[in-house]
Amino acid sequence: MNKALIIGCGGVASVAIQKCCQNSDVFGEIMIASRTKSKCDALKDKLKGAKTIIHTAQVDADDTEQLIELINSFKPDIVINLALPYQDLTIMDACLATKTHYLDTANYEPRDVAKFEYSWQWAYRDKFREAGIMAVLGCGFDPGVTGVFAAYAQKHYFDTIEYLDILDCNGGDHGYPFATNFNPEINIREVTAPGSYWQDGKWVHTKPMEIKREYDFAQVGKKDMYLLHHEELESLGENLNGIKRIRFFMTFGQSYLTHLKCLENVGMTSITPINYNGMEIIPLEFLKALLPDPATLGARTVGKTNIGCIFSGYKNGEPRNYYVYNVCDHQECYKELGSQAISYTTGVPAMIGAMMVLTGKWKGEGVFNVEEFDPDPFMDALNEWGLPWVEDFAPTLVE
Ligand code: NDP
């Protein structure tokens, strides 16, 4: 019987854990381990009727020794890291020490500087290869499904992909003037960072939110979207042969942008510590404490997400365009699992990626991004586990 250790018990983890329990043939036994054990116990309680055997534990995932001890006592076949990007390397170190497969949904981030790059984790390639284990990086939706979409487009529809635009639209409304739909600290670090895109083998840098486009999203409608740097541009730039340009766009509502600008202007989004009455405070961490917990947004969020990829290139010498996307309804996610669609669209692929490893459909020794594997079984699983995808062979292109 397969065993999975899931680290973290926030918005994304609670979806992945519930999906593992729906899939008890693959996930026979799981351990939920996080900083706050009461959250793990509450989720275990909610899942009382599940066939999957559930254990819980307290762990500080910044501490490799604690992680090694936990892994040695539970002996999982895979560790699914759904804590924060700061913990990626300590968890990878513990996986190396115990020769256990690893999977995450976000690249490692040092606490003091926002980078969104894979260099630290790619530096583990030889160590994982030598240990005979695999690490699957970035297996959420974006990164994650977007990489699987790219591998699928390459395998079935193109000889060469020259242009790729990743469009991430959240048409949901939670009714708050300002809230983030995943971890506020990571979300705000991401959107306040300078933008960039990959062109002709190198990065082109932009100011934050400098490039804006409007797009008419299926089942959502017209939205403004902004070019951001995003980590999968780096891996796709390396893994898609002949690619000339990759861009990433995300939609933001006017209220979100106005609040963010104001918070930024007064210094509340800074990650540089300040001294306040003798106490060291990181403004962004303090702001996080004030904002609604994304895990609680589910009940009040209505509307849909639409996330997908538009590819342009050639097949048999003929030019071709191809758009593949998923539409996810916030309220449907809430009805099924008590979560909003952002956690849902990240947690489901994390479960599927772990299933690919546990069932041997994805095999390898080393550190991999998802586009390096066969996309077909993952694409089938998306349809089966709640994230069906739609193809469009004559999409509107982004100028
Ligand atoms: P949350 O903040 O809701 O959850 C994070 C969880 O990790 C919490 O349970 C938290 O514990 C736990 N945690 C934090 N630090 C530690 C630690 N040192 N030791 C043990 N546990 C710890 O975040 P989300 O669920 O929204 O996001 C989870 C991950 O998913 C993030 O890395 C995020 O970047 C990524 N993500 C990826 C996406 C994609 O498409 N690829 C999209 C959205 C998110 P506590 O409860 O005590 O705070």
Side-chain angles (χ1 to χ4, degrees):
M1 184 161 52
N2 290 314
K3 288 178 167 188
L5 169 62
I6 297 155
I7 301 185
C9 194
V12 173
S14 91
V15 169
I17 290 161
Q18 293 181 77
K19 283 288 178 183
C20 289
C21 291
Q22 289 178 8
N23 191 4
S24 56
D25 287 348
V26 173
F27 297 89
E29 196 171 344
I30 61 170
M31 173 171 284
I32 315 169
S34 192
R35 182 168 54 189
T36 313
K37 184 167 178 283
S38 55
K39 290 192 190 169
C40 311
D41 291 332
L43 187 55
K44 179 181 172 181
D45 227 41
K46 179 176 169 187
L47 288 163
K48 246 187 217 132
K51 259 173 75 187
T52 302
I53 301 164
I54 305 173
H55 310 271
T56 61
Q58 199 277 330
V59 75
D60 176 2
D62 288 317
D63 182 340
T64 305
E65 289 310 313
Q66 273 191 38
L67 289 163
I68 292 174
E69 210 174 292
L70 183 65
I71 295 173
N72 280 334
S73 70
F74 182 55
K75 301 200 177 351
D77 301 290
I78 189 167
V79 174
I80 307 174
N81 168 17
L82 302 175
L84 296 179
Y86 313 127
Q87 281 87 44
D88 287 6
L89 299 187
T90 44
I91 299 176
M92 286 176 84
D93 284 332
C95 284
L96 272 174
T98 56
K99 296 203 182 336
T100 313
H101 298 312
Y102 169 91
L103 178 140
D104 68 28
T105 65
N107 69 291
Y108 168 71
E109 279 288 289
R111 280 185 194 269
D112 52 350
V113 50
K115 282 281 188 188
F116 297 100
E117 63 179 57
Y118 282 115
S119 56
W120 289 278
Q121 291 180 281
W122 284 348
Y124 279 66
R125 280 171 174 158
D126 287 346
K127 289 190 215 162
F128 269 70
R129 201 175 301 132
E130 281 155 21
I133 52 172
M134 68 194 290
V136 179
L137 305 185
C139 198
F141 205 106
D142 45 340
V145 176
T146 48
V148 174
F149 283 169
Y152 188 77
Q154 180 75 76
K155 180 173 175 181
H156 296 284
Y157 296 122
F158 289 92
D159 295 325
T160 319
I161 296 172
E162 292 193 335
Y163 297 97
L164 163 56
D165 280 327
I166 301 169
L167 309 191
D168 179 329
C169 164
N170 181 5
D173 181 5
H174 45 59
Y176 286 119
F178 185 76
T180 64
N181 38 43
F182 70 97
N183 184 283
E185 216 182 305
I186 308 298
N187 176 271
I188 291 172
R189 277 167 75 116
E190 189 174 287
V191 302
T192 55
S196 65
Y197 57 97
W198 185 251
Q199 183 160 285
D200 299 326
K202 52 184 191 302
W203 293 109
V204 180
H205 298 283
T206 70
K207 292 192 204 110
M209 308 284 183
E210 183 185 335
I211 298 182
K212 173 183 168 186
R213 298 280 186 274
E214 186 189 67
Y215 199 81
D216 194 357
F217 289 93
Q219 298 189 48
V220 175
K222 283 189 182 156
K223 292 275 170 197
D224 288 338
M225 59 185 193
Y226 297 82
L227 185 140
L228 298 185
H229 171 75
H230 224 243
E231 64 216 62
E232 67 261 53
L233 305 191
E234 189 186 9
S235 70
L236 289 168
E238 211 169 88
N239 292 323
L240 287 178
N241 288 334
I243 190 82
K244 289 188 172 162
R245 187 187 67 201
I246 316 177
R247 301 181 297 185
F248 181 96
F249 290 92
M250 191 178 269
T251 64
F252 296 102
Q254 201 45 55
S255 173
Y256 178 95
L257 292 176
T258 309
H259 279 78
L260 189 63
K261 191 84 237 149
C262 178
L263 290 165
E264 216 181 338
N265 285 344
V266 297
M268 281 300 290
T269 60
S270 165
I271 54 176
T272 308
I274 57 150
N275 191 297
Y276 177 73
N277 280 352
M279 208 190 339
E280 191 167 273
I281 291 178
I282 294 174
L284 181 55
E285 285 184 6
F286 179 71
L287 175 62
K288 178 187 176 218
L290 295 174
L291 291 174
D293 177 352
T296 63
L297 295 177
R300 42 187 301 146
T301 307
V302 293
K304 292 175 182 173
T305 61
N306 176 328
I307 318 175
C309 300
I310 304 177
F311 304 90
S312 300
Y314 289 90
K315 179 78 179 175
N316 301 326
E318 293 290 318
R320 138 175 291 189
N321 299 315
Y322 170 65
Y323 187 12
V324 54
Y325 59 87
N326 161 262
V327 174
C328 193
D329 186 308
H330 285 284
Q331 278 302 304
E332 291 300 318
C333 299
Y334 186 70
K335 267 186 238 149
E336 184 192 330
L337 300 183
S339 295
Q340 32 85 349
I342 305 301
S343 303
Y344 192 95
T345 53
T346 311
V348 172
M351 179 284 284
I352 294 174
M355 173 169 75
M356 294 293 115
V357 175
L358 292 173
T359 55
K361 289 190 172 129
W362 284 2
K363 277 199 192 117
E365 291 174 358
V367 173
F368 303 92
N369 293 87
V370 293
E371 63 271 17
E372 295 176 75
F373 297 108
D374 181 6
D376 292 355
F378 198 109
M379 292 292 275
D380 290 343
L382 286 170
N383 284 330
E384 185 181 351
W385 292 99
L387 293 176
W389 36 277
V390 180
E391 298 180 299
D392 178 352
F393 293 90
T396 308
L397 302 180
V398 182
E399 59 176 91

